[in-house]
Amino acid sequence: MIDEDRPTISSRDERATPRDGPDAIIAAIVASARGALSRANVPAATVVAAGCSSPGPLDHKTGIVLETPNLVGFREIHLADRLAERLGTKVFIDRDTCMAAIAEGMVGAARGAKDFVYVTVSTGVGGSIVSGGRMEPYPHIGRSSFAGRDASSCSEIGHFPVALQLDASRPANDDLPMCGCGSYGCVEAFAAGSKMAEMYGAKDAGEVYAASARGEERATAIVTRAERALANLAVGLVNVLNPSVIVVGGSIAEHQPAHVLEPMRRAISERAFKVPALAVRVEPAALGADVGMLGAVLEARERAAGKGAWFL
């Protein structure tokens, strides 16, 4: 159930994501949706619309997932149509960061703001840009619309370049971690939880932060690099976009605010252009781990009502 002031989830069904192809994943999504409906005692025939988040790139207008590198076989999948056929209702798909931004903008930490950026720092780093209350194309984005919102992508904030090899006599990628996108110097390559764990040889980023807190030198170096990458990202977002709010969510941001939000705030105060720096505030996400689920419900409601341009 969604209330404008106090969003709540009345029923949930959580399952592991299958690893054996799109058919199994779609079947699991359908079973999970039916399970949630059953627990809530809601007849499927009364559901007007459903929202589904997916890794991208994807086309949020046609409901096609173009390619998801981390899900086997998910390429050119008509996800919205296939789910709609099985569930008997209209289904809207979008990126998880877009849905999170919608939730935070409508009922969360950016409520009332018309120009804000949502950043997630978790297993990966991502985000979404809202300008003038819209997530659809607006003047900030270039010809391909890739910066903020288009048919294939929400904002690829995680691949904002924040580092370079200073020695011009060496290859440009020397001593820089390779990002999952194939490039180097991206904020995600330094600050994503998966990358931090990989660099340290740990199960997850929590182990890296714990080792750093104990004074372990190698872990501290990894944490410091992540802080600097996020700081550079924050300065770039403020100088280029001039948002009124930067909302920062994700599991790492939630559990390590001193290593995520505080470095971003300090960098903005010390290094960003003064006018936009004074106009922006960096806020923790207000909706917690359920932000994507709440955003999916809100997006489905709004798009079913014909408000696809996201006037917030």
Side-chain angles (χ1 to χ4, degrees):
M1 295 175 63
I2 291 291
D3 180 271
E4 288 298 340
D5 295 309
R6 298 185 63 185
T8 59
I9 295 172
S10 58
S11 176
R12 68 174 69 230
D13 183 282
E14 299 182 13
R15 304 174 185 228
T17 302
R19 298 294 179 184
D20 49 353
D23 291 342
I25 293 173
I26 291 169
I29 295 171
V30 170
S32 183
R34 287 174 176 164
L37 287 171
S38 176
R39 288 180 176 84
N41 294 316
V42 174
T46 66
V47 176
V48 174
C52 178
S53 70
S54 171
L58 57 80
D59 186 327
H60 71 286
K61 294 179 180 178
T62 64
I64 299 173
V65 178
L66 303 176
E67 183 176 13
T68 57
N70 295 323
L71 296 179
V72 176
F74 245 75
R75 186 180 180 88
E76 300 291 336
I77 300 297
H78 292 243
L79 182 59
D81 287 345
R82 292 181 64 175
L83 290 175
E85 182 180 5
R86 301 280 295 276
L87 293 172
T89 191
K90 183 70 175 178
V91 176
F92 299 99
I93 71 165
D94 213 332
R95 293 282 292 269
D96 53 355
T97 50
C98 293
M99 290 178 162
I102 289 164
E104 291 290 344
M106 295 186 74
V107 297
R111 186 171 186 175
K114 296 297 184 183
D115 301 280
F116 71 90
V117 181
Y118 175 81
V119 178
T120 181
V121 184
S122 187
T123 304
V125 177
S128 189
I129 301 165
V130 173
S131 179
R134 300 184 62 169
M135 202 181 294
E136 290 284 25
Y138 49 82
H140 286 148
I141 57 183
R143 182 168 182 172
S144 68
S145 302
F146 201 67
R149 177 85 161 155
D150 70 356
S152 65
S153 174
C154 209
S155 181
E156 297 292 351
I157 285 172
H159 304 287
F160 193 105
V162 295
L164 72 157
Q165 170 52 250
L166 292 175
D167 186 345
S169 69
R170 298 168 61 184
N173 62 343
D174 266 11
D175 292 334
L176 293 175
M178 181 67 71
C179 185
C181 72
S183 187
Y184 50 86
C186 303
V187 62
E188 182 166 290
F190 293 98
S194 59
K195 290 296 184 181
M196 295 176 70
E198 181 183 318
M199 285 186 274
Y200 189 68
K203 179 179 64 176
D204 55 44
E207 294 183 12
V208 185
Y209 284 105
S212 176
R214 296 193 301 269
E216 205 284 317
E217 186 175 346
R218 189 162 63 90
T220 299
I222 292 170
V223 170
T224 300
R225 292 203 308 174
E227 291 178 354
R228 291 177 177 176
L230 292 168
N232 283 355
L233 171 65
V235 171
L237 292 175
V238 169
N239 285 352
V240 173
L241 299 176
N242 188 21
S244 59
V245 188
I246 298 175
V247 178
V248 188
S251 59
I252 292 179
E254 180 181 357
H255 294 102
Q256 303 292 339
H259 296 294
V260 177
L261 278 78
E262 290 309 315
M264 296 174 77
R265 288 171 175 150
R266 284 196 303 271
I268 291 169
S269 176
E270 294 169 1
R271 297 194 279 123
F273 290 129
K274 294 305 176 188
V275 172
L278 290 172
V280 70
R281 67 184 194 274
V282 178
E283 299 285 353
L287 301 176
D290 288 333
V291 64
M293 199 180 310
L294 295 169
V297 175
L298 286 165
E299 173 161 351
R301 185 191 72 180
E302 296 298 291
R303 288 180 69 179
K307 301 176 183 178
W310 305 121
F311 288 95
L312 300 176

